[in-house]
Amino acid sequence: MRNEVHKGRNVVAQLVRRAKRAGFKVIALKVDTPRLGRREADIKNRFTLPPFLTLKNFEGLDLGKMDKTVGLGLASNVADQIDRTLSWKYVKWLRTITSLPILLKGVLTAEDARLSIEYGAAGIIVSNHGARQLDYVPATIMALEEVVKAAEGRVPVFLDGGVRRGTDVFKALALGASGIFIGRPMVFSFAAEGKAGVRKVLQMLRDEFERTMAFSGFRLLKEITRNHIVADWDQPRAVPRL
């Protein structure tokens, strides 16, 4: 289950308990949204949702003073409900209300990776929120290796964002990722063809990834190492003399 940090701790506790009852195995806590970035595309498009829509995720919960209607727009509604006092102590509190492992999503630096582990994260998701939170934020593939090195194998590190090809999956694994998450391709494919579209995208990525492995001479995932890719930030390699 993916979770924003809502102002009402009671609401969060209810969501977490319901997620466990529904069979979810992990809580993914987004730590890069103590407030929303300036979504200029939404502003330009005057994006709003009909006022009769409600946030289905909150149906059946005791919301207290929280409003579950969407209001003028999804972004403004979410912004009103986000807890801006978010700190590392929240992770400790979350661990007291659930036995589910907690992944922290939105980590981009070695310092935050080490703090994530210190405060009890079971895993890290390297993500820049689709580059919608802050201009000039580094691409996740560029931040991945730094986070992996800081984690030192103590927790799994996943990549989220920018995956469009099977070759992207290969690069992420070579840089030390334990796995990858896919966002926009899934949304776009679902909008175009529903479940069939999602299956098609996943199959395309799998086929491309397997083809990349085959052309690189690998049969097993464990054979993919850092030596099999060259990154923009690598030192120039010496060319062997003939």
Side-chain angles (χ1 to χ4, degrees):
M1 184 192 92
R2 191 175 71 178
N3 181 48
E4 286 94 359
V5 181
H6 297 283
K7 291 178 180 177
R9 296 292 176 91
N10 181 49
V11 173
V12 174
Q14 292 177 78
L15 287 169
V16 169
R17 288 195 295 267
R18 190 172 68 181
K20 186 173 183 179
R21 290 197 303 269
F24 285 86
K25 304 299 182 184
V26 173
I27 300 292
L29 175 65
K30 293 195 290 186
V31 296
D32 57 357
T33 51
R35 60 185 300 173
L36 287 186
R38 181 177 170 83
R39 307 293 172 83
E40 293 183 352
D42 289 352
I43 296 171
K44 179 181 178 181
N45 296 327
R46 299 180 182 178
F47 174 72
T48 60
L49 292 173
F52 59 82
L53 291 181
T54 59
L55 299 175
K56 301 290 286 186
N57 197 35
F58 297 111
E59 283 194 357
L61 301 183
D62 178 10
L63 301 180
K65 297 180 180 180
M66 180 177 169
D67 185 3
K68 70 175 180 178
T69 60
V70 176
L72 295 178
L74 183 59
S76 62
N77 180 272
V78 172
D80 289 340
Q81 308 301 341
I82 287 178
D83 185 354
R84 294 192 178 188
T85 66
L86 175 65
S87 71
W88 292 102
K89 294 178 181 179
Y90 187 92
V91 181
K92 280 192 171 181
W93 172 79
L94 193 57
R95 291 181 63 204
T96 66
I97 67 168
T98 182
S99 59
L100 293 175
I102 299 170
L103 307 184
L104 299 192
K105 178 178 179 288
V107 174
L108 290 172
T109 66
E111 293 83 358
D112 280 349
R114 286 189 282 267
L115 282 168
S116 298
I117 297 170
E118 179 183 334
Y119 280 86
I124 295 170
I125 303 175
V126 178
S127 174
N128 61 14
H129 212 90
R132 293 178 297 151
Q133 280 292 87
L134 180 66
D135 286 341
Y136 307 110
V137 70
T140 53
I141 194 70
M142 296 183 69
L144 174 62
E145 190 169 26
E146 175 182 330
V147 174
V148 168
K149 288 180 178 179
E152 298 179 324
R154 290 174 288 176
V155 298
V157 177
F158 302 92
L159 176 81
D160 172 66
V163 175
R164 300 294 183 270
R165 296 277 187 176
T167 46
D168 297 326
V169 178
F170 184 93
K171 288 183 286 186
L173 295 181
L175 287 169
S178 298
I180 58 98
F181 287 83
I182 308 165
R184 291 175 187 171
M186 306 293 283
V187 174
F188 296 156
S189 61
F190 185 77
E193 295 187 34
K195 291 182 180 180
V198 173
R199 293 192 186 98
K200 186 181 295 184
V201 163
L202 291 174
Q203 189 61 52
M204 288 172 62
L205 287 171
R206 181 185 180 93
D207 292 345
E208 291 172 358
F209 176 60
E210 289 183 349
R211 192 175 298 115
T212 303
M213 286 188 63
F215 288 147
S216 300
F218 305 135
R219 295 178 300 168
L220 304 173
L221 292 178
K222 65 181 181 181
E223 295 174 337
I224 303 173
T225 71
R226 182 63 171 85
N227 293 328
H228 299 112
I229 62 168
V230 178
D232 293 342
W233 54 91
D234 284 344
Q235 295 293 327
R237 296 183 180 180
V239 178
R241 295 182 179 180
L242 299 177

